[in-house]
Every structure is written in C-alpha cells, then in structure tokens.
Amino acid sequence: MSETQSTRQEPNFTGAIPFKADGGYMPGLDGLRAISILIVVIAHVGFENLIPGGLGVTVFFFVSGFLITRILVAEQNQHAGALDLPGFYLRRFLRLAPALLVFLLGSWLMLLPFGVKVDAGHVAAALFYFINYYDVVREWFGWSERTIPWGHLWSLAVEEHFYLLFPAALALFGKTHQARVRLVVISIVVCALWRAYAVLGLGLPHEHTYYTTDSRLENIAWGCLLAILLDGAPRTRARLAWLVGWHWVVLALGAILATLVYRDEVFRETLRYSIQGASLFILVLNLYALRSLRFSIDLLELKPMRWIGRLSYSLYLWHVPIIWIVREVMLGDANSLERLSPIGMVIAVALSFACACASYYAVERPLFGLRKRFGGKPVETLATA
C-alpha cells in the first residue's frame, strides 16, 4: 500500500492515544469528567432552566463506557479474549463502595437536624443501586415516598448495572472484534427501540425513560462502541476516517444543541438520547483523531481540570444534599421555587467541593494501593507514570 493510500484510509490521528486499546492513561477524559460534573453542579445550584444538567450526566455515561471498554478490551487482547471478572468486580467495588458508604452515613447525619426521614427501603435502594427504579415503582409496591435528597444516585445505579452486565456479556459474547461490535450495536438498537415502545406503546412516564437503566444504557453503549471501533483492524479505523473533520464537529455540536432546544416531549423521551449519544461518539472521535483539535486535549489536561475530574465522583455524591441544606438554611424551605442568592450559590458550591475533597483524600486515594494489588490502574498513578 502506498503512503498516499494509507493517509486516505486513516484519520489524521493526533497521536494522543494509540488506536489499540492498551489500558493506559487516556488524556482528556479527566477534563471531560470535570466538564460533566460542573454542568451538573451549576444546574443543580439554581440554573436548571439555563444549564442542561442532564447533558452532563449523559457525557459522564459516555466517558464511563469508553474508558471501561478500552480497559476490558485491552485485557482481552492480552489474554486471547479472556477476562478476569472477579478481579474487575473487586476493583469496581473498591473504587465505588467505600465513598458511597461514607456519603450515605455522613449525609444522613448532616440531614438529621432538619428532620429528614429515611427508612430501610431508602438505604437499601441507595446501597444496592436500585434507587433509579425506586421512585418509578414505589407506588406499585406501596413503598414509602423518598424524602432524603439521594435521588441523584440514580445515575450511579445505571453505571453500576453497566459494570455488572457488560463485562460478563463481553466475556461470553465478545471475544473477537466483530463479536464486540455486534454486541454493542445490538444493545444500542434494542435500547432505542424499547424506549420508543415504552413511550409510544406503553405510555410510560418521564421518570422511566430518564432514570431507568433499560432506557439510558444506550448512552453508555455509544462510548463502548467508539472504544471497540478504535481498537479494530485498520479497515475499521479507515471507515472511521469518514467521520473525522471540522464539518462533523460542527454538525455534532449543532445536533446536541438541537436536542436541548427542541422541546417536543415525545422527541425528548425517545430520539434525544440516541442523537446525543451519536453526537458524543463523533465529538470524542474527533478529539483524538482530528489533528487541529489537539489543543482541546491540552485544555482538558490542564491541572485544574484534571483535579476536578478526579473529584467528580465524590463531588457528584455530595453536592445535592449540601445544596439542599444550604437552601433549607437560607430560604427556610429546600423545596422552594426561589433561587439561592449569589452568595448562597457560592457557599453551596464551596461546601460541596470541601466535602468532595474530604471524601477523595480520606477515602478514595488511600485505596489506590489496594486496587493496584488487584490489577487496578488508578488514573492518578497512570497520569504521573
């Protein structure tokens, strides 16, 4: 093959990451996490009508699918398609459970003086990752209404279900590149079709399509698909080259903007998630494949962005009850429609970061060494290696 032919077939790759999944540090992903959590926090602190908090969660879903899939595929590449599932699940437990346990206990103690009630059902839903279904099916089973501000844990439940199901599916049905592509594409199509049927055929409410795993897994699967295709044969990568270019970047950004502006309810409950997932696929592909976008990776790799990205899990856990407490103290009613004052917003954000730092440095970081013993590669150690 001539050099000219090879250039036409391959994207104008930035060289920021290898195409082949290797489990190494992924530049820019901490920055993307930072953007997603900042979108969520700014929205929740009082700008819901201006900042699309749900988009921040969707970005986080995509990044999780992309990163976890690269790690899993890299392991399969090294071990003839095999995966150490017990090791993976143990590493995920050590990554997520300790901070969650501290959050549940700490936030409950903080909320006690305000008379917020919590029962065993609420704790079980949060602890065992089914809070995204708790509010949807609560009335069916006669469960008590959830009053403690833990509703934001729905997205962690979606991700945990992904961590439980996808590695096992990959080990069983995705031992080759073609099988992985087929598995993820089928997942995307089935999820999109099921969501459309749930809305148009069954008339299920917004709570189902927005919060439940069976509806939102597609956003994670788009990230999985990009990771798998990047790892594929040169022929697969050559096909990806058709989606590389500034015109695709503008189109993808425009598509995401359109999903935020167009307010038709049926569209928002069905096609919105598919369009956002496909658009993020194009944007992240171009982030790593379009040479003239390399400056974006440099911006995402700035130390403040990487630092916020590393805090993102703890910050996501703590910011909602902290904002609830600040609203209760300053407005007299956390559920008031009144917006916090600017000083109140600053206090809420500052306290959220303070709690996130305490959680990260006292709970998450001390477990890095233990995770490494079981094959984990904490992002901080990878970034400084």
Side-chain angles (χ1 to χ4, degrees):
M1 181 184 294
S2 70
E3 183 177 349
T4 303
Q5 288 174 320
S6 177
T7 302
R8 288 175 180 172
Q9 288 185 349
E10 295 284 354
N12 193 16
F13 190 47
T14 62
I17 61 169
F19 270 122
K20 202 70 176 173
D22 63 357
Y25 176 69
M26 293 289 295
L29 290 194
D30 273 337
L32 289 177
R33 286 195 187 101
I35 291 173
S36 66
I37 188 58
L38 290 175
I39 289 174
V40 172
V41 171
I42 293 172
H44 285 169
V45 84
F47 293 96
E48 295 91 342
N49 295 330
L50 298 175
I51 305 297
L55 179 61
V57 175
T58 299
V59 172
F60 211 98
F61 282 165
F62 185 97
V63 170
S64 295
F66 181 61
L67 178 59
I68 292 299
T69 302
R70 274 187 69 91
I71 293 173
L72 291 171
V73 170
E75 183 178 342
Q76 286 187 310
N77 290 341
Q78 295 172 3
H79 300 97
L83 287 173
D84 176 16
L85 292 180
F88 174 84
Y89 293 136
L90 179 59
R91 293 191 298 271
R92 285 292 90 194
F93 176 84
L94 293 173
R95 172 69 180 90
L96 301 174
L100 177 64
L101 288 170
V102 170
F103 162 75
L104 294 178
L105 178 60
S107 61
W108 174 65
L109 292 174
M110 285 182 176
L111 292 162
L112 272 179
F114 300 95
V116 176
K117 297 180 180 180
V118 59
D119 62 25
H122 304 156
V123 175
L127 193 59
F128 296 104
Y129 298 99
F130 65 91
I131 204 164
N132 60 329
Y133 285 99
Y134 188 93
D135 290 333
V136 174
V137 303
R138 177 180 55 80
E139 294 183 1
W140 301 357
F141 296 96
W143 295 343
S144 62
E145 183 177 1
R146 180 184 52 77
T147 57
I148 195 164
W150 289 347
H152 63 302
L153 300 181
W154 72 269
S155 62
L156 301 181
V158 173
E159 291 208 9
E160 184 65 20
H161 299 161
F162 162 71
Y163 296 143
L164 288 173
L165 296 174
F166 182 68
L170 208 60
L172 291 173
F173 309 112
K175 295 184 179 182
T176 66
H177 173 73
Q178 292 78 7
R180 292 169 200 144
V181 173
R182 183 166 56 248
L183 173 67
V184 175
V185 169
I186 289 175
S187 300
I188 290 173
V189 172
V190 169
C191 186
L193 291 177
W194 160 245
R195 190 171 57 245
Y197 177 68
V199 173
L200 300 175
L202 301 178
L204 296 182
H206 164 78
E207 287 76 15
H208 177 273
T209 54
Y210 189 82
Y211 295 114
T212 62
T213 304
D214 50 274
S215 175
R216 298 303 300 274
L217 200 61
E218 179 189 354
N219 290 132
I220 301 179
W222 279 104
C224 301
L225 181 61
L226 178 58
I228 292 169
L229 291 178
L230 283 177
D231 180 72
R235 187 174 180 182
T236 303
R237 300 198 299 265
R239 290 173 179 171
L240 285 176
W242 291 100
L243 295 175
V244 175
W246 275 103
H247 56 294
W248 284 106
V249 173
V250 173
L251 179 63
L253 289 172
I256 289 177
L257 179 61
T259 64
L260 302 177
V261 173
Y262 188 49
R263 309 301 294 181
D264 178 77
E265 285 303 313
V266 172
F267 168 80
R268 289 178 59 77
E269 302 302 329
T270 55
L271 288 175
R272 170 175 56 149
Y273 303 113
S274 298
I275 293 174
Q276 289 180 350
S279 298
L280 288 171
F281 178 99
I282 293 172
L283 290 174
V284 177
L285 168 64
N286 277 273
L287 179 67
Y288 292 115
L290 183 60
R291 190 172 299 277
S292 54
L293 259 183
R294 178 61 189 259
F295 73 92
S296 299
I297 296 179
D298 296 334
L299 293 176
L300 292 171
E301 280 293 287
L302 292 174
K303 287 185 178 180
M305 297 294 286
R306 286 171 55 183
W307 180 71
I308 294 174
R310 292 169 188 165
L311 288 180
S312 59
Y313 175 49
S314 288
L315 184 56
Y316 190 83
L317 288 175
W318 283 96
H319 81 282
V320 169
I322 293 298
I323 292 172
W324 191 99
I325 291 172
V326 172
R327 290 181 61 82
E328 182 73 16
V329 171
M330 300 193 73
L331 301 179
D333 180 8
N335 299 312
S336 170
L337 296 178
E338 184 180 352
R339 179 180 292 181
L340 279 171
S341 65
I343 186 64
M345 293 180 184
V346 171
I347 291 173
V349 172
L351 289 176
S352 296
F353 268 92
C355 289
C357 286
S359 175
Y360 178 73
Y361 290 106
V363 181
E364 292 185 58
R365 281 194 63 171
L367 291 173
F368 281 1
L370 184 59
R371 286 167 55 204
K372 287 175 67 177
R373 285 180 57 188
F374 294 101
K377 297 179 180 179
V379 66
E380 186 164 313
T381 58
L382 286 171
T384 57

